[in-house]
Amino acid sequence: MYFAALLARTEDGWEASDTELDDVETLSDLADLAREASPDEDTVLVLIEQEDGWFGVVRVDGEEDPRIYVSDAAAAARSSYGEILLTDELLGREPGDDGPDLDALDLDGTEDGEPDDDEDADGAPYTASGESVPHGPVGDAQVLEDLGVTEKELRSMTQDAVSEIAEALGASEVLETVR
């Protein structure tokens, strides 16, 4: 089960709205959705949580590039919403690398195009380009530092991270109205 919400910081405090991510296909789409939530170019946080799996924070400040934190990249890679956040840049890869050269692959009995396994030896899933995704957090762990959530606090959050973040920001009441 997923939960996604937008928290927009305004002059009057935080405003929350739940959001449907069904039409969001890329990080750019997600950033545009966040920008629409705050016409004054205030800070907007997109909080995404998969129950007992992972959570992600996307911070959009005006027209700046989004800042992203994902608590467990391997878990997020198994979800369509997580794949939106796990950009090449976030995973430390060269943008535009479309994966291995198909002519150089040893198909090894998988001529029908189906992979032998969808996880590496450590259980980390592979991306569409054939690279494994690391277990654990990726991204900017200081994404909420200036808002009162330290890197250490963010990295220690697990089960109900979205509520913990909202509480630390003083936005738990507005978040509960959309939950």
Side-chain angles (χ1 to χ4, degrees):
M1 185 165 125
Y2 291 92
F3 175 71
L6 296 172
L7 284 179
R9 187 168 67 175
T10 67
E11 291 178 6
D12 300 325
W14 291 98
E15 291 181 8
S17 58
D18 62 342
T19 187
E20 278 295 324
L21 299 180
D22 294 341
D23 295 332
V24 175
E25 295 180 9
T26 65
L27 180 60
S28 180
D29 293 344
L30 187 61
D32 289 344
L33 182 69
R35 288 182 183 104
E36 289 172 11
S38 178
D40 295 331
E41 295 191 9
D42 293 318
T43 297
V44 179
L45 303 176
V46 181
L47 305 174
I48 303 172
E49 180 177 69
Q50 180 185 2
E51 189 174 300
D52 299 329
W54 63 277
F55 70 92
V57 177
V58 178
R59 178 176 178 161
V60 178
D61 293 302
E63 291 300 317
E64 292 181 27
D65 288 340
R67 295 170 58 194
I68 306 164
Y69 175 79
V70 176
S71 66
D72 186 339
R78 293 181 182 96
S79 108
S80 57
Y81 298 139
E83 287 179 345
I84 293 169
L85 305 181
L86 297 174
T87 63
D88 287 335
E89 183 180 342
L90 189 70
L91 295 172
R93 299 187 182 134
E94 288 295 318
D97 182 8
D98 292 333
D101 178 12
L102 294 179
D103 293 330
L105 289 178
D106 177 13
L107 293 177
D108 173 23
T110 59
E111 287 80 11
D112 60 0
E114 293 184 27
D116 290 335
D117 196 8
D118 61 353
E119 296 180 347
D120 69 10
D122 295 327
Y126 290 114
T127 63
S129 66
E131 298 179 60
S132 69
V133 176
H135 286 283
V138 294
D140 184 355
Q142 297 176 344
V143 66
L144 302 173
E145 192 95 19
D146 64 322
L147 300 174
V149 181
T150 67
E151 178 177 347
K152 182 178 178 182
E153 291 170 327
L154 189 62
R155 288 184 185 270
S156 69
M157 293 179 182
T158 55
Q159 295 290 335
D160 198 18
V162 168
S163 293
E164 291 178 47
I165 291 169
E167 186 174 323
L169 299 175
S172 57
E173 286 183 23
V174 295
L175 181 68
E176 285 307 311
T177 64
V178 297
R179 216 180 241 274

